[in-house]
Amino acid sequence: MPRNIKFIVVHCTATSQNTSISAIQSYWKNQLGWKMPGYHFIIKPDGELVQLLPIEQVSNGVQGFNSQSINISYIGGVDQKNIPTDNRTLAQKATLLKKLKELKLKFPLAKIQGHRDFPNVHKACPSFDAIKEYKDV
C-alpha cells in the first residue's frame, strides 16, 4: 500500500560537517536502537546526495509523523560549540533545493517544513526556517 505523504521534512544532522554517514548510521543503531535510518536522504558538504532508504519505507525522522513523511537532511547544522547554525554549503543548498523540487513534483500536496516546525519538537533542526525558504517550491 503506498504511503500517504503529507510532509517533506528538512533536517540537519546536528553534527560537524566532517561527520561521516557511517558514523551517523552507527549512532542511530547503537545509541538510539533504531532499526531504520533517521532520513531517506542525506546530503554531504560537497553536495552529494546519498539515499539511505527507499521513500516507500518509513524512516525515523519526526516522532509521530514518520508514516506520512519523507525525511531529508544535510550534514551539519551546528558550530564547533554545538550551537545551532545554518552552515549549509552552497553545494548542499543546491542539492537540497533540487531534491525538494523533485519530491514536490511527486507529492504536490505535501508540505515542506523543518523538523522544528512540528508540534512538541524542542530542537532547532534544521537550523533555518525551511517553511520560509521553500515556500515557493
Side-chain angles (χ1 to χ4, degrees), residues 57-98:
Q57 295 180 31
V58 177
S59 65
N60 281 322
V62 183
Q63 190 170 5
F65 293 90
N66 289 318
S67 66
Q68 51 198 344
S69 297
I70 293 175
N71 296 290
I72 181 169
S73 182
Y74 69 96
I75 296 178
V78 293
D79 66 13
Q80 289 83 359
K81 294 180 179 161
N82 234 23
I83 295 174
T85 185
D86 180 4
N87 57 7
R88 291 173 293 162
T89 63
L90 289 175
Q92 283 175 316
K93 287 183 178 183
T95 300
L96 183 56
L97 181 60
K98 181 176 183 242

Side-chain angles (χ1 to χ4, degrees), residues 14-79:
T15 63
S16 91
Q17 287 199 306
N18 56 19
T19 304
S20 69
I21 293 175
S22 59
I24 294 164
Q25 290 173 308
S26 174
Y27 173 77
W28 291 334
K29 186 178 177 188
N30 300 323
Q31 304 299 312
L32 301 178
W34 291 356
K35 290 180 175 43
M36 301 302 262
Y39 322 117
H40 292 91
F41 303 97
I42 197 164
I43 303 170
K44 295 179 178 179
D46 67 1
E48 182 189 346
L49 180 83
V50 178
Q51 185 161 2
L52 302 178
L53 190 70
I55 59 172
E56 294 76 25
Q57 295 180 31
V58 177
S59 65
N60 281 322
V62 183
Q63 190 170 5
F65 293 90
N66 289 318
S67 66
Q68 51 198 344
S69 297
I70 293 175
N71 296 290
I72 181 169
S73 182
Y74 69 96
I75 296 178
V78 293
D79 66 13

Side-chain angles (χ1 to χ4, degrees), residues 1 6 25 35 43 48 63 78 101 107 117 121 124 130 133:
M1 182 177 140
K6 294 182 180 171
Q25 290 173 308
K35 290 180 175 43
I43 303 170
E48 182 189 346
Q63 190 170 5
V78 293
K101 286 179 176 176
F107 305 102
D117 300 313
V121 171
E133 184 159 333

